[in-house]
Amino acid sequence: MIFHVLTIFPEFFRGPFEHGVVARARNAGALEIRVHDLREWTFDRHRTVDDRPFGGGEGMLLKPEPLFRAVESLWPERGRDRAVILLSAQGRLFDQAAARRYSGMSELLLLCGRYEGVDERVAEHLADEEVSVGDYVLSGGELAAAVVIDAVARLLPGVLGNRDSAVYESFGESGGLDCPQYTRPADFRGWRVPQPLLDGNHAEIRRWRRRAAAEKTARLRPDLLRPPQPDGEGGEGKI
Ligand code: 9D3
């Protein structure tokens, strides 16, 4: 799979993908990450990528022309096996289902927003999807793009060393969190590993793990247990 990243901070991506699962996948040829400098698609002396918002307001926006030129020169043809994704605080929340869907594509092109935002015509007429990684304010789309690449890369065939570990985990089949896990020592500063895990009765271990996972999910992520609510009531936050 090929990931393209379009950013005004190409150096940002030197670090995150030189270690761990993604680095191994790159070396094995399972994926390729091509980082492009948005300023290469500017023609003026100052290589301008931003401008002031019509109607007034704080800060600057990424202007549309360099983004359109970049995408149209990287991908003169669009297709169902490739998607242009705008990373923005206004996007749809990225989740494991989206990661799985992207992992079936042959190429992704990630557009990183900066400044106060991006001209809306990019979301409307250039990007296939507008995606946020969570309800908090980042200073740009670069960290979000790295999150998306990491989550998708580890689902690619061969990347995890071919165990089924991409399936049996949090947000996999059960929808809840993983159960708590322990390693040696069995007693650390008086905090004992739960007895069923030490006893070696595999039926008891399964029962304990199921219950402990459900309890932890209820405590930390009750939203994962609640069935999806019908549209129109709540869920809109403060809007
Ligand atoms: C505080 C500024 N906000 C109100 C004027 C709007 C805003 C503009 C630009 C908020 C964040 C950003 C930069 N963030 C991203 O580009 C971004 C992001 C994020 O902030 N949170 C979660 N996911 C993402 S993906 C891209």
Side-chain angles (χ1 to χ4, degrees):
M1 179 165 187
I2 303 176
F3 297 88
H4 299 266
V5 183
L6 196 56
T7 172
I8 58 170
F9 294 127
E11 332 76 53
F12 179 94
F13 294 90
R14 298 284 95 91
F17 304 123
E18 284 172 6
H19 306 280
V21 164
V22 175
R24 260 186 292 134
R26 292 176 83 180
N27 293 333
L31 68 93
E32 210 178 299
I33 300 171
R34 299 189 192 159
V35 181
H36 309 277
D37 186 345
L38 180 62
R39 291 190 200 276
E40 286 175 23
W41 285 275
T42 58
F43 300 135
D44 65 305
R45 210 158 55 83
H46 296 106
R47 311 186 87 193
T48 309
V49 291
D50 62 334
D51 206 340
R52 289 152 49 207
F54 277 118
E58 287 294 296
M60 304 287 272
L61 304 177
L62 283 184
K63 55 203 268 92
E65 300 96 314
L67 286 161
F68 273 79
R69 275 188 215 116
V71 172
E72 287 164 358
S73 75
L74 291 170
W75 286 359
E77 307 265 280
R78 305 278 288 262
R80 288 186 70 268
D81 64 334
R82 39 173 71 174
V84 176
I85 296 165
L86 173 63
L87 282 318
S88 115
Q90 280 71 47
R92 184 189 303 277
L93 275 187
F94 181 66
D95 60 11
Q96 192 63 20
R100 225 172 261 129
R101 190 161 51 79
Y102 296 157
S103 73
M105 296 187 170
S106 61
E107 293 187 49
L108 285 187
L109 204 170
L110 303 163
L111 311 179
C112 304
R114 269 280 154 178
Y115 307 112
E116 287 307 301
V118 180
D119 185 287
E120 188 65 17
R121 287 164 292 195
V122 172
E124 288 271 314
H125 304 295
L126 185 63
D128 296 299
E129 302 183 29
E130 185 173 6
V131 168
S132 159
V133 296
D135 292 335
Y136 37 77
V137 180
L138 300 172
S139 51
E142 283 78 9
L143 275 170
V147 166
V148 170
I149 291 171
D150 190 88
V152 174
R154 55 186 296 289
L155 297 177
L156 297 176
V159 169
L160 267 188
N162 235 354
R163 293 177 303 128
D164 282 344
S165 34
V167 179
Y168 300 105
E169 63 186 341
S170 292
F171 319 113
E173 304 306 271
S174 79
L177 301 177
D178 283 348
C179 63
Q181 302 193 87
Y182 300 84
T183 183
R184 290 186 294 182
D187 186 327
F188 174 66
R189 298 185 177 178
W191 298 304
R192 300 264 314 152
V193 171
Q195 198 58 43
L197 298 180
L198 303 174
D199 287 344
N201 176 335
H202 289 281
E204 279 300 313
I205 290 171
R206 265 195 305 278
R207 246 166 48 85
W208 182 87
R209 284 183 165 160
R210 230 185 344 259
R211 195 180 48 76
E215 277 174 15
K216 185 158 181 173
T217 306
R219 188 158 46 87
L220 300 187
R221 294 297 307 275
D223 56 301
L224 294 177
L225 298 176
R226 207 172 48 232
Q229 300 297 306
D231 279 3
E233 275 307 315
E236 282 95 14
K238 288 188 190 157
I239 298 170

